[in-house]
Amino acid sequence: MSEMSSRDVLERLIGFATVSRDSNLELIEFVRDALANLGVESELFYNAERTKANLFATIGPRDRGGIVLSGHTDVVPVDGQAWTLDPFRLTEKEGRLYGRGTADMKGFIASVLASVPTFLKKSLVMPVHLAFSYDEEVGCLGVRPMLEQLARRPQKPVLCLIGEPTELKPVLGHKGKLAMRCQVKGAACHSAYAPYGVNAIAYAARLIGKLDDIGEQLAQPEHHDALFDPPYSTVQAGVIKGGRALNIVPAECEFDFEVRALPGFDAHEVADELQSFAEAELLPKMRAVKADTDIRFESLSAYPGLATPPDSEAARLLTLLSGSNEFGTVAFGTEGGLFNQAGIPTVVCGPGSMDQGHKPDEFVSVEQLDACDAMLARLADYLATAS
């Protein structure tokens, strides 16, 4: 990478089809080997199956906290999307770099890797850490084993910069998320005798209706935070499955729902309220017809929100790096809340726009990538002189 621009590194990264359902090891091993060629050692934190790994590397002294540059290596699928270009081959057109993950968020990782020679030349007095994770796109799952290890170390970083796409605008907050699955076990019978069965779809519908009621309560003005858009915690059911034939009362139905929670609001309150409704209002009626009917809830994933104070040292450092103190929030989630829970103050700032993320013909502009390179050069200067 000593002779590679961020654009060249991005071309290599896009060539690894690191969709969350697949392994990211080829990309991680490429990064590990490229860093090793520059004399930088890496630690790998594998999943249980050893099919995926996080990478952590340090440049500079190890007896000080330093700054973490964090990005996820996984991308969302391209299945069913109307791409006009090869999603796993970088294409440059009219000042834009196209490919799956260019915005979310291999553009940032490419800029970080291309900046490693600069960090090495600066004789840093405060270290920079590189933290690249897996399975962010499926609930911020992969970074957790790495954070568990980092939390035990004596030197805590003073800041984590998550390079999610914000058009390089400084971001201090985002909502948390809870994803749940509800499984309704009813009792089947011929639809001509529907009252003698327990219609799982009908009871699932009542639960979803209750979710809507909870969502309406959360949207009341007293729960608003004007820093966010929308300015309140939201609830929605996104997937539902049930039924086998129209003339059979369905015995099974399941649906997935999520809560996007403002920082400070515990999303589990929504799940608890829904479960209380199921136990008090629905299960007695179901079991009056068939004793072994049931409603079960399963947690799919969860991550906390982020709310870094604007008067914090982390915010002041973000101002120095980004050149702006017009702090904002984003609607999407990041691993930032998990870093913050591990005792590492966290901010979000990276190249590109999430308006392009997860879409066909995803892109990051060359201008944004160049601006990210410049931001990391400022960081290198800071780390070379920090007291």
Side-chain angles (χ1 to χ4, degrees), residues 351-384:
S353 169
M354 195 56 87
D355 286 345
Q356 309 308 323
H358 300 198
K359 293 181 179 179
D361 292 348
E362 178 181 350
F363 70 85
V364 66
S365 72
V366 173
E367 180 182 15
Q368 280 280 296
L369 207 58
D370 290 345
C372 188
D373 292 345
M375 180 180 73
L376 294 176
R378 291 192 292 273
L379 174 61
D381 289 338
Y382 171 82
L383 294 174

PDB file of all heavy atoms in Angstrom, residues 351-384:
ATOM      1  N   PRO A 351     -16.597   9.324   4.365  1.00  0.00           N
ATOM      2  CA  PRO A 351     -16.886   9.790   3.006  1.00  0.00           C
ATOM      3  C   PRO A 351     -18.122   9.124   2.408  1.00  0.00           C
ATOM      4  O   PRO A 351     -18.454   7.989   2.734  1.00  0.00           O
ATOM      5  CB  PRO A 351     -15.630   9.381   2.239  1.00  0.00           C
ATOM      6  CG  PRO A 351     -15.161   8.137   2.952  1.00  0.00           C
ATOM      7  CD  PRO A 351     -15.477   8.366   4.404  1.00  0.00           C
ATOM      8  N   GLY A 352     -18.776   9.862   1.513  1.00  0.00           N
ATOM      9  CA  GLY A 352     -19.943   9.320   0.836  1.00  0.00           C
ATOM     10  C   GLY A 352     -21.221   9.605   1.579  1.00  0.00           C
ATOM     11  O   GLY A 352     -21.228  10.195   2.664  1.00  0.00           O
ATOM     12  N   SER A 353     -22.312   9.154   1.003  1.00  0.00           N
ATOM     13  CA  SER A 353     -23.641   9.392   1.562  1.00  0.00           C
ATOM     14  C   SER A 353     -24.399   8.081   1.685  1.00  0.00           C
ATOM     15  O   SER A 353     -24.361   7.245   0.777  1.00  0.00           O
ATOM     16  CB  SER A 353     -24.437  10.341   0.659  1.00  0.00           C
ATOM     17  OG  SER A 353     -25.794  10.396   1.044  1.00  0.00           O
ATOM     18  N   MET A 354     -25.103   7.913   2.811  1.00  0.00           N
ATOM     19  CA  MET A 354     -25.926   6.723   2.971  1.00  0.00           C
ATOM     20  C   MET A 354     -27.116   6.730   2.012  1.00  0.00           C
ATOM     21  O   MET A 354     -27.784   5.702   1.845  1.00  0.00           O
ATOM     22  CB  MET A 354     -26.382   6.583   4.416  1.00  0.00           C
ATOM     23  CG  MET A 354     -26.930   5.204   4.769  1.00  0.00           C
ATOM     24  SD  MET A 354     -25.777   3.860   4.426  1.00  0.00           S
ATOM     25  CE  MET A 354     -24.840   3.843   5.952  1.00  0.00           C
ATOM     26  N   ASP A 355     -27.363   7.849   1.351  1.00  0.00           N
ATOM     27  CA  ASP A 355     -28.372   7.856   0.289  1.00  0.00           C
ATOM     28  C   ASP A 355     -27.998   6.881  -0.817  1.00  0.00           C
ATOM     29  O   ASP A 355     -28.864   6.416  -1.565  1.00  0.00           O
ATOM     30  CB  ASP A 355     -28.509   9.266  -0.305  1.00  0.00           C
ATOM     31  CG  ASP A 355     -29.247  10.210   0.613  1.00  0.00           C
ATOM     32  OD1 ASP A 355     -29.895   9.736   1.568  1.00  0.00           O
ATOM     33  OD2 ASP A 355     -29.169  11.435   0.392  1.00  0.00           O
ATOM     34  N   GLN A 356     -26.702   6.577  -0.942  1.00  0.00           N
ATOM     35  CA  GLN A 356     -26.248   5.627  -1.954  1.00  0.00           C
ATOM     36  C   GLN A 356     -26.120   4.213  -1.399  1.00  0.00           C
ATOM     37  O   GLN A 356     -26.090   3.243  -2.152  1.00  0.00           O
ATOM     38  CB  GLN A 356     -24.886   6.063  -2.504  1.00  0.00           C
ATOM     39  CG  GLN A 356     -24.819   7.495  -2.951  1.00  0.00           C
ATOM     40  CD  GLN A 356     -25.923   7.869  -3.925  1.00  0.00           C
ATOM     41  OE1 GLN A 356     -26.309   7.062  -4.768  1.00  0.00           O
ATOM     42  NE2 GLN A 356     -26.436   9.081  -3.807  1.00  0.00           N
ATOM     43  N   GLY A 357     -26.005   4.095  -0.077  1.00  0.00           N
ATOM     44  CA  GLY A 357     -25.800   2.798   0.531  1.00  0.00           C
ATOM     45  C   GLY A 357     -26.966   1.853   0.308  1.00  0.00           C
ATOM     46  O   GLY A 357     -28.126   2.268   0.307  1.00  0.00           O
ATOM     47  N   HIS A 358     -26.650   0.571   0.096  1.00  0.00           N
ATOM     48  CA  HIS A 358     -27.639  -0.506  -0.034  1.00  0.00           C
ATOM     49  C   HIS A 358     -28.422  -0.421  -1.340  1.00  0.00           C
ATOM     50  O   HIS A 358     -29.363  -1.184  -1.531  1.00  0.00           O
ATOM     51  CB  HIS A 358     -28.616  -0.523   1.148  1.00  0.00           C
ATOM     52  CG  HIS A 358     -27.972  -0.736   2.482  1.00  0.00           C
ATOM     53  ND1 HIS A 358     -28.682  -1.132   3.599  1.00  0.00           N
ATOM     54  CD2 HIS A 358     -26.695  -0.611   2.900  1.00  0.00           C
ATOM     55  CE1 HIS A 358     -27.872  -1.236   4.631  1.00  0.00           C
ATOM     56  NE2 HIS A 358     -26.650  -0.922   4.230  1.00  0.00           N
ATOM     57  N   LYS A 359     -28.063   0.480  -2.237  1.00  0.00           N
ATOM     58  CA  LYS A 359     -28.798   0.650  -3.486  1.00  0.00           C
ATOM     59  C   LYS A 359     -27.998   0.087  -4.653  1.00  0.00           C
ATOM     60  O   LYS A 359     -26.780  -0.080  -4.568  1.00  0.00           O
ATOM     61  CB  LYS A 359     -29.067   2.138  -3.741  1.00  0.00           C
ATOM     62  CG  LYS A 359     -30.024   2.788  -2.765  1.00  0.00           C
ATOM     63  CD  LYS A 359     -30.244   4.248  -3.127  1.00  0.00           C
ATOM     64  CE  LYS A 359     -31.225   4.925  -2.191  1.00  0.00           C
ATOM     65  NZ  LYS A 359     -31.421   6.356  -2.521  1.00  0.00           N
ATOM     66  N   PRO A 360     -28.696  -0.192  -5.784  1.00  0.00           N
ATOM     67  CA  PRO A 360     -27.943  -0.549  -6.987  1.00  0.00           C
ATOM     68  C   PRO A 360     -27.106   0.634  -7.457  1.00  0.00           C
ATOM     69  O   PRO A 360     -27.464   1.796  -7.233  1.00  0.00           O
ATOM     70  CB  PRO A 360     -29.039  -0.909  -7.993  1.00  0.00           C
ATOM     71  CG  PRO A 360     -30.279  -0.252  -7.489  1.00  0.00           C
ATOM     72  CD  PRO A 360     -30.153  -0.219  -5.999  1.00  0.00           C
ATOM     73  N   ASP A 361     -25.993   0.316  -8.103  1.00  0.00           N
ATOM     74  CA  ASP A 361     -25.057   1.333  -8.591  1.00  0.00           C
ATOM     75  C   ASP A 361     -24.615   2.270  -7.474  1.00  0.00           C
ATOM     76  O   ASP A 361     -24.522   3.494  -7.637  1.00  0.00           O
ATOM     77  CB  ASP A 361     -25.652   2.115  -9.762  1.00  0.00           C
ATOM     78  CG  ASP A 361     -25.807   1.267 -11.013  1.00  0.00           C
ATOM     79  OD1 ASP A 361     -25.259   0.146 -11.049  1.00  0.00           O
ATOM     80  OD2 ASP A 361     -26.489   1.707 -11.953  1.00  0.00           O
ATOM     81  N   GLU A 362     -24.322   1.689  -6.322  1.00  0.00           N
ATOM     82  CA  GLU A 362     -23.788   2.431  -5.175  1.00  0.00           C
ATOM     83  C   GLU A 362     -22.475   3.107  -5.581  1.00  0.00           C
ATOM     84  O   GLU A 362     -21.677   2.544  -6.324  1.00  0.00           O
ATOM     85  CB  GLU A 362     -23.540   1.464  -4.017  1.00  0.00           C
ATOM     86  CG  GLU A 362     -22.942   2.080  -2.769  1.00  0.00           C
ATOM     87  CD  GLU A 362     -22.698   1.043  -1.687  1.00  0.00           C
ATOM     88  OE1 GLU A 362     -23.165  -0.115  -1.846  1.00  0.00           O
ATOM     89  OE2 GLU A 362     -22.051   1.380  -0.687  1.00  0.00           O
ATOM     90  N   PHE A 363     -22.239   4.325  -5.066  1.00  0.00           N
ATOM     91  CA  PHE A 363     -20.998   5.011  -5.423  1.00  0.00           C
ATOM     92  C   PHE A 363     -20.543   5.937  -4.302  1.00  0.00           C
ATOM     93  O   PHE A 363     -21.305   6.302  -3.409  1.00  0.00           O
ATOM     94  CB  PHE A 363     -21.169   5.827  -6.713  1.00  0.00           C
ATOM     95  CG  PHE A 363     -22.052   7.049  -6.568  1.00  0.00           C
ATOM     96  CD1 PHE A 363     -21.536   8.260  -6.107  1.00  0.00           C
ATOM     97  CD2 PHE A 363     -23.400   6.995  -6.890  1.00  0.00           C
ATOM     98  CE1 PHE A 363     -22.353   9.379  -5.972  1.00  0.00           C
ATOM     99  CE2 PHE A 363     -24.215   8.113  -6.763  1.00  0.00           C
ATOM    100  CZ  PHE A 363     -23.683   9.311  -6.305  1.00  0.00           C
ATOM    101  N   VAL A 364     -19.258   6.269  -4.363  1.00  0.00           N
ATOM    102  CA  VAL A 364     -18.686   7.351  -3.574  1.00  0.00           C
ATOM    103  C   VAL A 364     -17.976   8.262  -4.566  1.00  0.00           C
ATOM    104  O   VAL A 364     -17.396   7.780  -5.556  1.00  0.00           O
ATOM    105  CB  VAL A 364     -17.712   6.828  -2.496  1.00  0.00           C
ATOM    106  CG1 VAL A 364     -16.480   6.183  -3.112  1.00  0.00           C
ATOM    107  CG2 VAL A 364     -17.301   7.943  -1.540  1.00  0.00           C
ATOM    108  N   SER A 365     -18.024   9.549  -4.346  1.00  0.00           N
ATOM    109  CA  SER A 365     -17.370  10.458  -5.282  1.00  0.00           C
ATOM    110  C   SER A 365     -15.869  10.505  -5.010  1.00  0.00           C
ATOM    111  O   SER A 365     -15.412  10.335  -3.874  1.00  0.00           O
ATOM    112  CB  SER A 365     -17.965  11.868  -5.178  1.00  0.00           C
ATOM    113  OG  SER A 365     -17.573  12.487  -3.965  1.00  0.00           O
ATOM    114  N   VAL A 366     -15.108  10.736  -6.070  1.00  0.00           N
ATOM    115  CA  VAL A 366     -13.659  10.912  -5.927  1.00  0.00           C
ATOM    116  C   VAL A 366     -13.371  12.090  -5.007  1.00  0.00           C
ATOM    117  O   VAL A 366     -12.452  12.048  -4.182  1.00  0.00           O
ATOM    118  CB  VAL A 366     -13.015  11.116  -7.309  1.00  0.00           C
ATOM    119  CG1 VAL A 366     -11.532  11.463  -7.171  1.00  0.00           C
ATOM    120  CG2 VAL A 366     -13.203   9.875  -8.180  1.00  0.00           C
ATOM    121  N   GLU A 367     -14.186  13.129  -5.099  1.00  0.00           N
ATOM    122  CA  GLU A 367     -14.009  14.319  -4.253  1.00  0.00           C
ATOM    123  C   GLU A 367     -14.128  13.961  -2.772  1.00  0.00           C
ATOM    124  O   GLU A 367     -13.337  14.414  -1.942  1.00  0.00           O
ATOM    125  CB  GLU A 367     -15.047  15.368  -4.625  1.00  0.00           C
ATOM    126  CG  GLU A 367     -14.952  16.648  -3.820  1.00  0.00           C
ATOM    127  CD  GLU A 367     -16.026  17.650  -4.197  1.00  0.00           C
ATOM    128  OE1 GLU A 367     -16.998  17.262  -4.868  1.00  0.00           O
ATOM    129  OE2 GLU A 367     -15.891  18.829  -3.806  1.00  0.00           O
ATOM    130  N   GLN A 368     -15.114  13.121  -2.433  1.00  0.00           N
ATOM    131  CA  GLN A 368     -15.288  12.719  -1.044  1.00  0.00           C
ATOM    132  C   GLN A 368     -14.115  11.864  -0.564  1.00  0.00           C
ATOM    133  O   GLN A 368     -13.636  12.024   0.562  1.00  0.00           O
ATOM    134  CB  GLN A 368     -16.592  11.943  -0.886  1.00  0.00           C
ATOM    135  CG  GLN A 368     -17.826  12.822  -0.810  1.00  0.00           C
ATOM    136  CD  GLN A 368     -18.009  13.422   0.583  1.00  0.00           C
ATOM    137  OE1 GLN A 368     -18.229  12.713   1.556  1.00  0.00           O
ATOM    138  NE2 GLN A 368     -17.929  14.745   0.666  1.00  0.00           N
ATOM    139  N   LEU A 369     -13.636  10.988  -1.427  1.00  0.00           N
ATOM    140  CA  LEU A 369     -12.510  10.136  -1.043  1.00  0.00           C
ATOM    141  C   LEU A 369     -11.257  10.987  -0.824  1.00  0.00           C
ATOM    142  O   LEU A 369     -10.508  10.779   0.145  1.00  0.00           O
ATOM    143  CB  LEU A 369     -12.272   9.078  -2.117  1.00  0.00           C
ATOM    144  CG  LEU A 369     -11.623   7.769  -1.661  1.00  0.00           C
ATOM    145  CD1 LEU A 369     -12.452   7.093  -0.585  1.00  0.00           C
ATOM    146  CD2 LEU A 369     -11.428   6.836  -2.849  1.00  0.00           C
ATOM    147  N   ASP A 370     -11.033  11.955  -1.703  1.00  0.00           N
ATOM    148  CA  ASP A 370      -9.884  12.854  -1.540  1.00  0.00           C
ATOM    149  C   ASP A 370     -10.004  13.658  -0.243  1.00  0.00           C
ATOM    150  O   ASP A 370      -9.012  13.874   0.463  1.00  0.00           O
ATOM    151  CB  ASP A 370      -9.786  13.811  -2.725  1.00  0.00           C
ATOM    152  CG  ASP A 370      -9.359  13.125  -4.022  1.00  0.00           C
ATOM    153  OD1 ASP A 370      -8.860  11.983  -3.952  1.00  0.00           O
ATOM    154  OD2 ASP A 370      -9.534  13.731  -5.094  1.00  0.00           O
ATOM    155  N   ALA A 371     -11.221  14.098   0.066  1.00  0.00           N
ATOM    156  CA  ALA A 371     -11.428  14.878   1.294  1.00  0.00           C
ATOM    157  C   ALA A 371     -11.180  14.017   2.532  1.00  0.00           C
ATOM    158  O   ALA A 371     -10.675  14.509   3.554  1.00  0.00           O
ATOM    159  CB  ALA A 371     -12.835  15.466   1.314  1.00  0.00           C
ATOM    160  N   CYS A 372     -11.532  12.732   2.462  1.00  0.00           N
ATOM    161  CA  CYS A 372     -11.255  11.827   3.577  1.00  0.00           C
ATOM    162  C   CYS A 372      -9.750  11.637   3.736  1.00  0.00           C
ATOM    163  O   CYS A 372      -9.232  11.610   4.874  1.00  0.00           O
ATOM    164  CB  CYS A 372     -11.955  10.488   3.359  1.00  0.00           C
ATOM    165  SG  CYS A 372     -11.856   9.374   4.779  1.00  0.00           S
ATOM    166  N   ASP A 373      -9.028  11.499   2.632  1.00  0.00           N
ATOM    167  CA  ASP A 373      -7.570  11.414   2.695  1.00  0.00           C
ATOM    168  C   ASP A 373      -7.001  12.630   3.419  1.00  0.00           C
ATOM    169  O   ASP A 373      -6.084  12.502   4.247  1.00  0.00           O
ATOM    170  CB  ASP A 373      -6.972  11.337   1.286  1.00  0.00           C
ATOM    171  CG  ASP A 373      -7.297  10.036   0.553  1.00  0.00           C
ATOM    172  OD1 ASP A 373      -7.732   9.074   1.221  1.00  0.00           O
ATOM    173  OD2 ASP A 373      -7.120  10.004  -0.677  1.00  0.00           O
ATOM    174  N   ALA A 374      -7.527  13.816   3.095  1.00  0.00           N
ATOM    175  CA  ALA A 374      -7.046  15.042   3.721  1.00  0.00           C
ATOM    176  C   ALA A 374      -7.356  15.061   5.217  1.00  0.00           C
ATOM    177  O   ALA A 374      -6.544  15.517   6.032  1.00  0.00           O
ATOM    178  CB  ALA A 374      -7.659  16.254   3.029  1.00  0.00           C
ATOM    179  N   MET A 375      -8.542  14.557   5.598  1.00  0.00           N
ATOM    180  CA  MET A 375      -8.885  14.490   7.019  1.00  0.00           C
ATOM    181  C   MET A 375      -7.919  13.577   7.769  1.00  0.00           C
ATOM    182  O   MET A 375      -7.472  13.906   8.886  1.00  0.00           O
ATOM    183  CB  MET A 375     -10.323  13.989   7.195  1.00  0.00           C
ATOM    184  CG  MET A 375     -10.760  13.884   8.651  1.00  0.00           C
ATOM    185  SD  MET A 375     -12.463  13.305   8.876  1.00  0.00           S
ATOM    186  CE  MET A 375     -12.272  11.557   8.450  1.00  0.00           C
ATOM    187  N   LEU A 376      -7.569  12.453   7.173  1.00  0.00           N
ATOM    188  CA  LEU A 376      -6.657  11.525   7.841  1.00  0.00           C
ATOM    189  C   LEU A 376      -5.235  12.086   7.886  1.00  0.00           C
ATOM    190  O   LEU A 376      -4.477  11.789   8.822  1.00  0.00           O
ATOM    191  CB  LEU A 376      -6.695  10.174   7.136  1.00  0.00           C
ATOM    192  CG  LEU A 376      -8.044   9.444   7.240  1.00  0.00           C
ATOM    193  CD1 LEU A 376      -8.027   8.162   6.437  1.00  0.00           C
ATOM    194  CD2 LEU A 376      -8.414   9.157   8.692  1.00  0.00           C
ATOM    195  N   ALA A 377      -4.863  12.909   6.914  1.00  0.00           N
ATOM    196  CA  ALA A 377      -3.562  13.589   6.975  1.00  0.00           C
ATOM    197  C   ALA A 377      -3.530  14.560   8.152  1.00  0.00           C
ATOM    198  O   ALA A 377      -2.508  14.678   8.848  1.00  0.00           O
ATOM    199  CB  ALA A 377      -3.285  14.313   5.659  1.00  0.00           C
ATOM    200  N   ARG A 378      -4.662  15.240   8.395  1.00  0.00           N
ATOM    201  CA  ARG A 378      -4.735  16.120   9.573  1.00  0.00           C
ATOM    202  C   ARG A 378      -4.624  15.308  10.856  1.00  0.00           C
ATOM    203  O   ARG A 378      -4.010  15.747  11.840  1.00  0.00           O
ATOM    204  CB  ARG A 378      -6.035  16.926   9.554  1.00  0.00           C
ATOM    205  CG  ARG A 378      -6.109  17.978   8.460  1.00  0.00           C
ATOM    206  CD  ARG A 378      -7.271  18.942   8.651  1.00  0.00           C
ATOM    207  NE  ARG A 378      -8.573  18.322   8.480  1.00  0.00           N
ATOM    208  CZ  ARG A 378      -9.182  18.200   7.307  1.00  0.00           C
ATOM    209  NH1 ARG A 378      -8.577  18.621   6.192  1.00  0.00           N
ATOM    210  NH2 ARG A 378     -10.366  17.645   7.223  1.00  0.00           N
ATOM    211  N   LEU A 379      -5.241  14.127  10.853  1.00  0.00           N
ATOM    212  CA  LEU A 379      -5.138  13.268  12.027  1.00  0.00           C
ATOM    213  C   LEU A 379      -3.688  12.855  12.260  1.00  0.00           C
ATOM    214  O   LEU A 379      -3.213  12.840  13.407  1.00  0.00           O
ATOM    215  CB  LEU A 379      -6.014  12.018  11.840  1.00  0.00           C
ATOM    216  CG  LEU A 379      -5.906  10.954  12.937  1.00  0.00           C
ATOM    217  CD1 LEU A 379      -6.330  11.518  14.290  1.00  0.00           C
ATOM    218  CD2 LEU A 379      -6.748   9.730  12.585  1.00  0.00           C
ATOM    219  N   ALA A 380      -2.976  12.516  11.206  1.00  0.00           N
ATOM    220  CA  ALA A 380      -1.571  12.133  11.343  1.00  0.00           C
ATOM    221  C   ALA A 380      -0.762  13.271  11.947  1.00  0.00           C
ATOM    222  O   ALA A 380       0.083  13.055  12.833  1.00  0.00           O
ATOM    223  CB  ALA A 380      -1.003  11.715   9.988  1.00  0.00           C
ATOM    224  N   ASP A 381      -0.999  14.495  11.499  1.00  0.00           N
ATOM    225  CA  ASP A 381      -0.308  15.659  12.062  1.00  0.00           C
ATOM    226  C   ASP A 381      -0.625  15.810  13.543  1.00  0.00           C
ATOM    227  O   ASP A 381       0.269  16.097  14.359  1.00  0.00           O
ATOM    228  CB  ASP A 381      -0.713  16.924  11.311  1.00  0.00           C
ATOM    229  CG  ASP A 381      -0.140  16.972   9.900  1.00  0.00           C
ATOM    230  OD1 ASP A 381       0.873  16.283   9.633  1.00  0.00           O
ATOM    231  OD2 ASP A 381      -0.701  17.707   9.059  1.00  0.00           O
ATOM    232  N   TYR A 382      -1.899  15.628  13.888  1.00  0.00           N
ATOM    233  CA  TYR A 382      -2.305  15.744  15.295  1.00  0.00           C
ATOM    234  C   TYR A 382      -1.610  14.688  16.157  1.00  0.00           C
ATOM    235  O   TYR A 382      -1.082  14.984  17.231  1.00  0.00           O
ATOM    236  CB  TYR A 382      -3.821  15.611  15.406  1.00  0.00           C
ATOM    237  CG  TYR A 382      -4.309  15.509  16.826  1.00  0.00           C
ATOM    238  CD1 TYR A 382      -4.480  16.648  17.612  1.00  0.00           C
ATOM    239  CD2 TYR A 382      -4.595  14.263  17.395  1.00  0.00           C
ATOM    240  CE1 TYR A 382      -4.912  16.557  18.924  1.00  0.00           C
ATOM    241  CE2 TYR A 382      -5.026  14.160  18.708  1.00  0.00           C
ATOM    242  CZ  TYR A 382      -5.191  15.308  19.468  1.00  0.00           C
ATOM    243  OH  TYR A 382      -5.613  15.211  20.770  1.00  0.00           O
ATOM    244  N   LEU A 383      -1.594  13.454  15.696  1.00  0.00           N
ATOM    245  CA  LEU A 383      -1.028  12.366  16.489  1.00  0.00           C
ATOM    246  C   LEU A 383       0.491  12.482  16.621  1.00  0.00           C
ATOM    247  O   LEU A 383       1.083  11.908  17.533  1.00  0.00           O
ATOM    248  CB  LEU A 383      -1.389  11.020  15.860  1.00  0.00           C
ATOM    249  CG  LEU A 383      -2.882  10.649  15.872  1.00  0.00           C
ATOM    250  CD1 LEU A 383      -3.111   9.361  15.097  1.00  0.00           C
ATOM    251  CD2 LEU A 383      -3.401  10.513  17.292  1.00  0.00           C
ATOM    252  N   ALA A 384       1.096  13.212  15.697  1.00  0.00           N
ATOM    253  CA  ALA A 384       2.561  13.416  15.757  1.00  0.00           C
ATOM    254  C   ALA A 384       2.937  14.504  16.741  1.00  0.00           C
ATOM    255  O   ALA A 384       4.121  14.607  17.125  1.00  0.00           O
ATOM    256  CB  ALA A 384       3.091  13.741  14.378  1.00  0.00           C
TER     257      ALA A 384
END
